[in-house]
Amino acid sequence: NAGVTQTPKFQVLKTGQSMTLQCAQDMNHEYMSWYRQDPGMGLRLIHYSVGAGITDQGEVPNGYNVSRSTTEDFPLRLLSAAPSQTSVYFCASRPRDRRGWGQPQHFGDGTRLSIL
Amino acid sequence: AQSVTQLDSQVPVFEEAPVELRCNYSSSVSVYLFWYVQYPNQGLQLLLKYLSGSTLVKGINGFEAEFNKSQTSFHLRKPSVHISDTAEYFCAVIYSGNTPLVFGKGTRLSVIA
């Protein structure tokens, strides 16, 4: 049981390049989300999904796209990288149980992204 | 918008002293509350959670937190800290249903020998 797996762990891009951050979970969790972490800002939500085929925007969605074609995978796409997107990105998942959605989120180890 | 406020961005404390990290959330009918810890250059680890029931919850590494509905607070405490507790601590809240987990900006705990 690997939990939440993020790849790559580190990436350096040039301004204007595009790339996809991968996130996969093997716990059959319905809920998945992407956050970015910047110093002094905590974790800010980029996009989230409550199940396959359903996505929604979070607090800072501009410049990012997501899709959820399967329960397991939730990739994050940077369309045209900008220096302001230099950050640490975390993917998370959580289950829905009989009481609802109030369960802890499981986090991946993060992707450290630098945009030059 | 629903928010989470961590009142202290940095807390220095001497080893073996007690510590309290403060967290307040927006008022809501029902909430689910969490504390996460992040050690340097690592991911987030769940410290403890409040879903329902007893308002005093115990977590890993000797930490505990108390849910106070009237004060809309969920402060984290430890009676005696160790050097190894040096980390960043995040308070987070699920306000209802399948809504996102909302984070505070974090409190950096520095334990001084």
Side-chain angles (χ1 to χ4, degrees):
Chain A
N1 190 338
V4 180
T5 302
Q6 290 184 238
T7 56
K9 293 190 185 304
F10 304 94
Q11 185 71 48
V12 178
L13 292 178
K14 294 181 179 178
T15 298
Q17 287 185 314
S18 62
M19 80 160 294
T20 300
L21 307 186
Q22 301 291 345
C23 176
Q25 53 93 7
D26 60 359
M27 298 171 283
N28 202 33
H29 287 173
E30 291 92 340
Y31 191 101
M32 296 186 75
S33 51
W34 277 101
Y35 294 85
R36 59 178 288 175
Q37 184 180 21
D38 303 291
M41 302 295 289
L43 280 85
R44 292 181 292 170
L45 183 68
I46 305 171
H47 286 284
Y48 66 99
S49 167
V50 299
I54 307 169
T55 63
D56 207 345
Q57 295 182 353
E59 180 185 357
V60 288
N62 292 340
Y64 308 95
N65 271 357
V66 291
S67 59
R68 184 94 181 271
S69 56
T70 67
T71 299
E72 294 79 18
D73 299 301
F74 192 44
L76 179 72
R77 297 181 186 84
L78 279 70
L79 308 174
S80 177
S84 61
Q85 294 178 303
T86 293
S87 188
V88 181
Y89 291 84
F90 287 98
C91 179
S93 72
R94 77 175 192 249
R96 178 179 180 177
D97 66 10
R98 58 182 175 82
R99 295 175 297 181
W101 295 85
Q103 292 298 320
Q105 287 196 169
H106 300 249
F107 285 85
D109 290 335
T111 295
R112 191 174 296 272
L113 182 63
S114 294
I115 315 295
L116 304 178
Chain B
Q2 308 286 26
S3 63
V4 180
T5 302
Q6 291 185 243
L7 295 160
D8 305 297
S9 59
Q10 296 187 61
V11 174
V13 62
F14 286 106
E15 193 174 17
E16 298 184 5
V19 70
E20 178 180 82
L21 306 183
R22 297 180 291 170
C23 173
N24 287 88
Y25 60 93
S26 304
S27 181
S28 181
V29 176
S30 63
V31 293
Y32 305 105
L33 300 157
F34 307 87
W35 276 97
Y36 285 85
V37 59
Q38 185 180 35
Y39 299 104
N41 298 312
Q42 294 190 24
L44 284 87
Q45 179 181 1
L46 180 68
L47 205 53
L48 50 77
K49 62 185 178 185
Y50 171 80
L51 303 182
S52 64
S54 173
T55 57
L56 183 64
V57 293
K58 295 187 183 299
I60 61 173
N61 301 338
F63 283 93
E64 64 180 31
E66 185 161 17
F67 168 55
N68 187 321
K69 189 172 183 177
S70 62
Q71 300 290 325
T72 60
S73 68
F74 190 54
H75 300 334
L76 180 71
R77 302 185 184 98
K78 187 170 182 177
S80 176
V81 295
H82 302 125
I83 294 290
S84 59
D85 292 323
T86 294
E88 189 148 23
Y89 293 79
F90 293 96
C91 181
V93 181
I94 296 173
Y95 279 97
S96 66
N98 59 354
T99 58
L101 184 65
V102 180
F103 282 87
K105 294 188 185 305
T107 297
R108 188 172 299 276
L109 175 65
S110 299
V111 181
I112 306 161

